[in-house]
CSV table of all heavy atoms in Angstrom, one decimal:
chain,number,residue,atom,x,y,z
A,1,GLU,N,0.9,-1.2,0.0
A,1,GLU,CA,0.0,0.0,0.0
A,1,GLU,C,0.9,1.2,0.0
A,1,GLU,O,1.3,1.7,1.0
A,1,GLU,CB,-0.9,0.0,1.2
A,1,GLU,CG,-1.9,1.2,1.3
A,1,GLU,CD,-2.5,1.3,2.7
A,1,GLU,OE1,-2.1,0.5,3.6
A,1,GLU,OE2,-3.3,2.2,2.8
A,2,THR,N,1.2,1.8,-1.2
A,2,THR,CA,2.1,2.8,-1.3
A,2,THR,C,1.6,4.1,-0.7
A,2,THR,O,2.4,5.0,-0.3
A,2,THR,CB,2.5,3.1,-2.8
A,2,THR,OG1,1.3,3.3,-3.5
A,2,THR,CG2,3.2,1.9,-3.4
A,3,GLY,N,0.3,4.3,-0.6
A,3,GLY,CA,-0.2,5.5,0.0
A,3,GLY,C,0.2,5.7,1.5
A,3,GLY,O,0.2,6.8,2.0
A,4,ALA,N,0.5,4.5,2.1
A,4,ALA,CA,1.0,4.6,3.5
A,4,ALA,C,2.2,5.3,3.6
A,4,ALA,O,2.5,5.9,4.7
A,4,ALA,CB,1.1,3.1,4.0
A,5,MET,N,3.1,5.4,2.6
A,5,MET,CA,4.3,6.1,2.6
A,5,MET,C,4.0,7.6,2.8
A,5,MET,O,4.7,8.3,3.6
A,5,MET,CB,5.1,5.8,1.4
A,5,MET,CG,5.6,4.4,1.3
A,5,MET,SD,6.3,4.0,-0.3
A,5,MET,CE,7.8,4.9,-0.2
A,6,TYR,N,3.0,8.1,2.0
A,6,TYR,CA,2.7,9.5,2.1
A,6,TYR,C,2.1,9.8,3.5
A,6,TYR,O,2.4,10.9,4.1
A,6,TYR,CB,1.7,9.9,1.0
A,6,TYR,CG,2.3,10.0,-0.3
A,6,TYR,CD1,2.1,9.0,-1.3
A,6,TYR,CD2,3.0,11.1,-0.7
A,6,TYR,CE1,2.6,9.0,-2.5
A,6,TYR,CE2,3.5,11.2,-2.0
A,6,TYR,CZ,3.3,10.2,-2.9
A,6,TYR,OH,3.9,10.2,-4.2
A,7,ARG,N,1.3,8.9,4.0
A,7,ARG,CA,0.7,9.1,5.3
A,7,ARG,C,1.7,9.1,6.4
A,7,ARG,O,1.6,9.9,7.3
A,7,ARG,CB,-0.3,8.0,5.6
A,7,ARG,CG,-1.6,8.0,4.7
A,7,ARG,CD,-2.4,6.7,4.9
A,7,ARG,NE,-3.6,6.7,4.1
A,7,ARG,CZ,-4.8,7.0,4.5
A,7,ARG,NH1,-5.0,7.4,5.8
A,7,ARG,NH2,-5.8,6.9,3.7
A,8,ALA,N,2.7,8.2,6.3
A,8,ALA,CA,3.7,8.2,7.3
A,8,ALA,C,4.5,9.5,7.3
A,8,ALA,O,4.8,10.0,8.4
A,8,ALA,CB,4.6,7.0,7.1
A,9,LEU,N,4.9,10.0,6.2
A,9,LEU,CA,5.7,11.2,6.1
A,9,LEU,C,4.8,12.4,6.6
A,9,LEU,O,5.3,13.3,7.3
A,9,LEU,CB,6.1,11.5,4.7
A,9,LEU,CG,6.9,12.8,4.5
A,9,LEU,CD1,8.2,12.7,5.3
A,9,LEU,CD2,7.3,13.0,3.0
A,10,ALA,N,3.5,12.4,6.2
A,10,ALA,CA,2.6,13.4,6.7
A,10,ALA,C,2.5,13.4,8.2
A,10,ALA,O,2.5,14.5,8.9
A,10,ALA,CB,1.2,13.2,6.1
A,11,LEU,N,2.5,12.2,8.8
A,11,LEU,CA,2.4,12.1,10.3
A,11,LEU,C,3.6,12.7,10.9
A,11,LEU,O,3.6,13.4,11.9
A,11,LEU,CB,2.3,10.6,10.7
A,11,LEU,CG,2.4,10.3,12.2
A,11,LEU,CD1,1.3,11.1,13.0
A,11,LEU,CD2,2.3,8.8,12.5
A,12,LYS,N,4.8,12.5,10.3
A,12,LYS,CA,6.0,13.0,10.9
A,12,LYS,C,6.0,14.6,10.7
A,12,LYS,O,6.5,15.3,11.6
A,12,LYS,CB,7.3,12.5,10.2
A,12,LYS,CG,8.6,12.8,10.9
A,12,LYS,CD,9.7,12.0,10.4
A,12,LYS,CE,11.0,12.3,11.1
A,12,LYS,NZ,12.1,11.4,10.7
A,13,ALA,N,5.5,15.1,9.6
A,13,ALA,CA,5.3,16.5,9.4
A,13,ALA,C,4.4,17.1,10.5
A,13,ALA,O,4.7,18.2,11.0
A,13,ALA,CB,4.8,16.8,8.0
A,14,ILE,N,3.3,16.4,10.8
A,14,ILE,CA,2.4,16.9,11.9
A,14,ILE,C,3.1,16.9,13.2
A,14,ILE,O,3.0,17.9,13.9
A,14,ILE,CB,1.2,15.9,12.0
A,14,ILE,CG1,0.3,16.1,10.7
A,14,ILE,CG2,0.4,16.2,13.2
A,14,ILE,CD1,-0.8,15.1,10.6
A,15,GLU,N,3.8,15.8,13.5
A,15,GLU,CA,4.5,15.7,14.8
A,15,GLU,C,5.6,16.8,15.0
A,15,GLU,O,5.9,17.2,16.1
A,15,GLU,CB,5.1,14.3,15.0
A,15,GLU,CG,4.0,13.3,15.1
A,15,GLU,CD,4.6,11.9,15.2
A,15,GLU,OE1,5.7,11.7,14.8
A,15,GLU,OE2,3.9,10.9,15.7
A,16,ASN,N,6.1,17.2,13.9
A,16,ASN,CA,7.2,18.2,14.0
A,16,ASN,C,6.8,19.6,13.5
A,16,ASN,O,7.6,20.5,13.3
A,16,ASN,CB,8.4,17.8,13.1
A,16,ASN,CG,9.1,16.6,13.7
A,16,ASN,OD1,10.0,16.7,14.5
A,16,ASN,ND2,8.7,15.4,13.2
A,17,ASP,N,5.4,19.8,13.4
A,17,ASP,CA,4.8,21.1,13.1
A,17,ASP,C,5.4,21.7,11.8
A,17,ASP,O,5.7,22.9,11.8
A,17,ASP,CB,5.1,22.1,14.3
A,17,ASP,CG,4.1,23.2,14.3
A,17,ASP,OD1,3.0,23.1,13.7
A,17,ASP,OD2,4.4,24.3,14.8
A,18,TYR,N,5.4,20.9,10.8
A,18,TYR,CA,5.9,21.4,9.5
A,18,TYR,C,4.7,22.0,8.7
A,18,TYR,O,3.6,21.6,8.8
A,18,TYR,CB,6.5,20.3,8.6
A,18,TYR,CG,8.0,20.1,8.9
A,18,TYR,CD1,8.4,19.7,10.1
A,18,TYR,CD2,8.9,20.2,7.9
A,18,TYR,CE1,9.8,19.5,10.4
A,18,TYR,CE2,10.3,20.0,8.1
A,18,TYR,CZ,10.7,19.6,9.3
A,18,TYR,OH,12.0,19.4,9.6
A,19,ASP,N,5.0,23.0,7.8
A,19,ASP,CA,4.0,23.6,6.9
A,19,ASP,C,3.8,22.6,5.7
A,19,ASP,O,4.8,22.4,5.0
A,19,ASP,CB,4.5,24.9,6.5
A,19,ASP,CG,3.5,25.7,5.6
A,19,ASP,OD1,2.5,25.1,5.2
A,19,ASP,OD2,3.7,26.9,5.4
A,20,PHE,N,2.6,22.2,5.5
A,20,PHE,CA,2.4,21.2,4.4
A,20,PHE,C,2.6,21.9,3.0
A,20,PHE,O,2.7,21.2,2.0
A,20,PHE,CB,1.0,20.7,4.5
A,20,PHE,CG,0.7,20.0,5.8
A,20,PHE,CD1,-0.5,20.2,6.4
A,20,PHE,CD2,1.6,19.2,6.4
A,20,PHE,CE1,-0.8,19.6,7.6
A,20,PHE,CE2,1.3,18.5,7.6
A,20,PHE,CZ,0.1,18.8,8.2
A,21,ASP,N,2.5,23.2,3.0
A,21,ASP,CA,2.6,23.9,1.7
A,21,ASP,C,4.0,24.2,1.3
A,21,ASP,O,4.2,24.7,0.2
A,21,ASP,CB,1.8,25.3,1.8
A,21,ASP,CG,0.3,25.0,2.0
A,21,ASP,OD1,-0.2,24.0,1.5
A,21,ASP,OD2,-0.3,25.9,2.7
A,22,ASP,N,5.0,24.0,2.1
A,22,ASP,CA,6.4,24.3,1.8
A,22,ASP,C,7.1,23.1,1.5
A,22,ASP,O,7.5,22.2,2.4
A,22,ASP,CB,7.0,25.0,3.1
A,22,ASP,CG,8.3,25.8,2.7
A,22,ASP,OD1,8.8,25.5,1.6
A,22,ASP,OD2,8.7,26.6,3.5
A,23,GLU,N,7.5,22.9,0.2
A,23,GLU,CA,8.0,21.6,-0.2
A,23,GLU,C,9.5,21.3,0.3
A,23,GLU,O,9.8,20.2,0.7
A,23,GLU,CB,8.0,21.5,-1.7
A,23,GLU,CG,8.5,20.1,-2.3
A,23,GLU,CD,8.4,20.0,-3.8
A,23,GLU,OE1,8.5,21.1,-4.5
A,23,GLU,OE2,8.2,18.9,-4.3
A,24,ALA,N,10.3,22.4,0.2
A,24,ALA,CA,11.7,22.2,0.5
A,24,ALA,C,12.0,21.6,1.9
A,24,ALA,O,12.7,20.6,2.1
A,24,ALA,CB,12.5,23.5,0.4
A,25,PRO,N,11.3,22.1,3.0
A,25,PRO,CA,11.5,21.5,4.3
A,25,PRO,C,11.0,20.0,4.4
A,25,PRO,O,11.5,19.2,5.0
A,25,PRO,CB,10.7,22.4,5.2
A,25,PRO,CG,10.6,23.7,4.5
A,25,PRO,CD,10.5,23.3,3.1
A,26,LEU,N,9.9,19.8,3.6
A,26,LEU,CA,9.3,18.4,3.6
A,26,LEU,C,10.3,17.4,2.9
A,26,LEU,O,10.5,16.3,3.3
A,26,LEU,CB,8.0,18.4,2.8
A,26,LEU,CG,6.8,19.1,3.5
A,26,LEU,CD1,5.6,19.2,2.6
A,26,LEU,CD2,6.5,18.3,4.8
A,27,MET,N,11.0,17.9,1.9
A,27,MET,CA,12.0,17.1,1.2
A,27,MET,C,13.2,16.8,2.2
A,27,MET,O,13.7,15.7,2.3
A,27,MET,CB,12.6,17.8,0.0
A,27,MET,CG,11.6,18.0,-1.1
A,27,MET,SD,11.3,16.4,-2.0
A,27,MET,CE,12.8,16.2,-2.9
A,28,ALA,N,13.6,17.8,3.0
A,28,ALA,CA,14.6,17.6,4.0
A,28,ALA,C,14.2,16.6,5.0
A,28,ALA,O,14.9,15.8,5.5
A,28,ALA,CB,15.0,18.9,4.6
A,29,LEU,N,12.9,16.7,5.4
A,29,LEU,CA,12.3,15.8,6.4
A,29,LEU,C,12.4,14.4,5.9
A,29,LEU,O,12.7,13.5,6.6
A,29,LEU,CB,10.9,16.3,6.8
A,29,LEU,CG,10.2,15.4,7.9
A,29,LEU,CD1,10.9,15.7,9.2
A,29,LEU,CD2,8.7,15.8,8.0
A,30,ALA,N,12.0,14.2,4.6
A,30,ALA,CA,12.0,12.9,4.1
A,30,ALA,C,13.3,12.3,4.1
A,30,ALA,O,13.5,11.1,4.3
A,30,ALA,CB,11.4,13.0,2.6
A,31,ALA,N,14.4,13.1,3.8
A,31,ALA,CA,15.7,12.6,3.8
A,31,ALA,C,16.2,12.0,5.2
A,31,ALA,O,17.1,11.2,5.2
A,31,ALA,CB,16.7,13.7,3.4
A,32,GLN,N,15.5,12.4,6.2
A,32,GLN,CA,15.8,12.0,7.6
A,32,GLN,C,14.8,11.0,8.1
A,32,GLN,O,14.8,10.7,9.3
A,32,GLN,CB,15.9,13.2,8.5
A,32,GLN,CG,16.8,14.3,8.1
A,32,GLN,CD,16.6,15.6,8.8
A,32,GLN,OE1,15.9,15.6,9.8
A,32,GLN,NE2,17.3,16.7,8.4
A,33,THR,N,14.0,10.4,7.2
A,33,THR,CA,12.9,9.6,7.6
A,33,THR,C,13.1,8.2,7.1
A,33,THR,O,13.5,8.0,5.9
A,33,THR,CB,11.6,10.2,7.1
A,33,THR,OG1,11.4,11.5,7.7
A,33,THR,CG2,10.4,9.3,7.6
A,34,ARG,N,12.8,7.2,7.9
A,34,ARG,CA,12.8,5.8,7.5
A,34,ARG,C,11.4,5.2,7.6
A,34,ARG,O,10.8,5.1,8.7
A,34,ARG,CB,13.8,5.0,8.4
A,34,ARG,CG,14.0,3.6,8.0
A,34,ARG,CD,15.2,3.0,8.7
A,34,ARG,NE,15.2,3.2,10.1
A,34,ARG,CZ,14.6,2.4,11.0
A,34,ARG,NH1,14.1,1.2,10.6
A,34,ARG,NH2,14.7,2.6,12.3
A,35,ILE,N,10.9,4.9,6.4
A,35,ILE,CA,9.5,4.3,6.4
A,35,ILE,C,9.7,2.9,5.8
A,35,ILE,O,10.2,2.6,4.8
A,35,ILE,CB,8.6,5.1,5.4
A,35,ILE,CG1,8.5,6.6,6.0
A,35,ILE,CG2,7.2,4.5,5.3
A,35,ILE,CD1,7.8,7.5,5.0
A,36,THR,N,9.1,1.9,6.6
A,36,THR,CA,9.2,0.5,6.2
A,36,THR,C,7.8,0.0,6.1
A,36,THR,O,6.9,0.2,7.0
A,36,THR,CB,9.9,-0.3,7.3
A,36,THR,OG1,11.2,0.3,7.5
A,36,THR,CG2,10.1,-1.7,6.8
A,37,LEU,N,7.5,-0.7,5.0
A,37,LEU,CA,6.2,-1.4,4.8
A,37,LEU,C,6.5,-2.9,5.0
A,37,LEU,O,7.3,-3.5,4.3
A,37,LEU,CB,5.6,-1.2,3.4
A,37,LEU,CG,5.3,0.3,3.0
A,37,LEU,CD1,4.7,0.3,1.6
A,37,LEU,CD2,4.4,0.9,4.0
A,38,GLU,N,5.8,-3.5,5.9
A,38,GLU,CA,5.9,-5.0,6.1
A,38,GLU,C,4.6,-5.6,5.8
A,38,GLU,O,3.6,-5.5,6.5
A,38,GLU,CB,6.2,-5.2,7.6
A,38,GLU,CG,7.6,-4.7,8.0
A,38,GLU,CD,7.9,-5.0,9.5
A,38,GLU,OE1,7.0,-5.5,10.2
A,38,GLU,OE2,9.1,-4.8,9.9
A,39,PRO,N,4.5,-6.2,4.6
A,39,PRO,CA,3.2,-6.9,4.2
A,39,PRO,C,2.7,-7.9,5.1
A,39,PRO,O,3.5,-8.8,5.6
A,39,PRO,CB,3.6,-7.5,2.8
A,39,PRO,CG,4.8,-6.7,2.3
A,39,PRO,CD,5.6,-6.4,3.6
A,40,GLN,N,1.4,-7.8,5.5
A,40,GLN,CA,0.8,-8.8,6.4
A,40,GLN,C,-0.4,-9.4,5.6
A,40,GLN,O,-0.7,-9.0,4.5
A,40,GLN,CB,0.3,-8.1,7.6
A,40,GLN,CG,1.3,-7.2,8.3
A,40,GLN,CD,2.4,-8.1,9.0
A,40,GLN,OE1,2.1,-9.0,9.7
A,40,GLN,NE2,3.6,-7.7,8.8
A,41,VAL,N,-1.0,-10.4,6.2
A,41,VAL,CA,-2.1,-11.1,5.5
A,41,VAL,C,-3.2,-10.1,5.3
A,41,VAL,O,-3.9,-10.1,4.2
A,41,VAL,CB,-2.6,-12.3,6.4
A,41,VAL,CG1,-3.9,-12.8,5.8
A,41,VAL,CG2,-1.5,-13.3,6.5
A,42,ASP,N,-3.5,-9.2,6.2
A,42,ASP,CA,-4.6,-8.3,6.1
A,42,ASP,C,-4.2,-6.8,5.8
A,42,ASP,O,-5.0,-5.9,6.0
A,42,ASP,CB,-5.4,-8.3,7.4
A,42,ASP,CG,-4.6,-7.9,8.6
A,42,ASP,OD1,-3.3,-7.8,8.5
A,42,ASP,OD2,-5.2,-7.7,9.7
A,43,GLY,N,-3.0,-6.6,5.2
A,43,GLY,CA,-2.6,-5.3,4.8
A,43,GLY,C,-1.1,-5.1,5.1
A,43,GLY,O,-0.3,-6.0,4.8
């Protein structure tokens, strides 16, 4: 579920009070973020 990657990054942006409209800081945040998807039977 690739949309989970956007959700996870958005969650980190929320937790760190980032502006969703400013792309450059979000790119920098992504560079410091580790998102892992572990497929399970139900998702």
Side-chain angles (χ1 to χ4, degrees):
E1 182 193 4
T2 56
M5 297 171 67
Y6 287 102
R7 291 170 181 262
L9 181 60
L11 174 58
K12 190 166 184 176
I14 290 172
E15 292 176 339
N16 290 274
D17 199 26
Y18 273 62
D19 184 349
F20 305 136
D21 296 326
D22 197 345
E23 183 177 29
L26 291 172
M27 292 286 288
L29 183 68
Q32 304 167 8
T33 301
R34 182 165 53 92
I35 300 172
T36 306
L37 300 182
E38 296 183 347
Q40 308 290 313
V41 173
D42 57 349

